[in-house]
């Protein structure tokens, strides 16, 4: 791995379902950028944890289904967007 800071890129359409104002979206994007501003890949790995799909399915079935579908799309190659 490298100790270079991470670069945050938003995939086209990733905020299509956002229901706030443009100012709220700008603030959200700035907050996301600031979260990763001084973080390296090693830092991200050290602070990450695996998603428990069984628990997620129980607590938020719709999110679990959407996440599973997105992951299936990546695995099958049908989703060509780069999600970072």
């Amino acid at each position: 791995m490298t100790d270079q800071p991470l670069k945050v890129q938003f995939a086209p359409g990733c905020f299509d379902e956002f229901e706030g104002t443009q100012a709220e979206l700008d603030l959200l994007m700035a907050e996301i950028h600031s979260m990763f501003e001084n973080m390296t890949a090693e830092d991200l790995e050290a602070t990450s944890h695996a998603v428990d799909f069984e628990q997620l399915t129980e607590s938020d079935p719709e999110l679990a289904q959407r996440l599973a579908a997105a992951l299936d799309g990546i695995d099958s190659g049908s989703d060509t967007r780069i999600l970072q």
Side-chain angles (χ1 to χ4, degrees):
M1 290 210 176
T2 176
D3 61 355
Q4 295 180 358
L6 298 174
K7 180 179 178 184
V8 176
Q9 294 180 313
F10 299 106
C14 68
F15 294 109
D16 284 354
E17 295 183 33
F18 183 78
E19 295 183 2
T21 65
Q22 184 63 47
E24 291 169 330
L25 178 57
D26 293 342
L27 180 60
L28 174 63
M29 291 173 67
E31 288 177 17
I32 293 170
H33 278 285
S34 71
M35 288 172 53
F36 296 96
E37 190 172 48
N38 295 311
M39 187 177 283
T40 64
E42 290 82 8
D43 296 333
L44 181 60
E45 183 179 13
T47 58
S48 297
H49 63 278
V51 173
D52 181 336
F53 269 95
E54 287 184 26
Q55 183 180 12
L56 182 62
T57 300
E58 291 176 13
S59 64
D60 193 339
E62 181 181 341
L63 177 58
Q65 184 178 18
R66 289 174 48 202
L67 182 55
L71 291 172
D72 286 343
I74 292 169
D75 288 342
S76 70
S78 65
D79 187 345
T80 58
R81 296 177 299 157
I82 298 172
L83 303 177
Q84 298 178 340

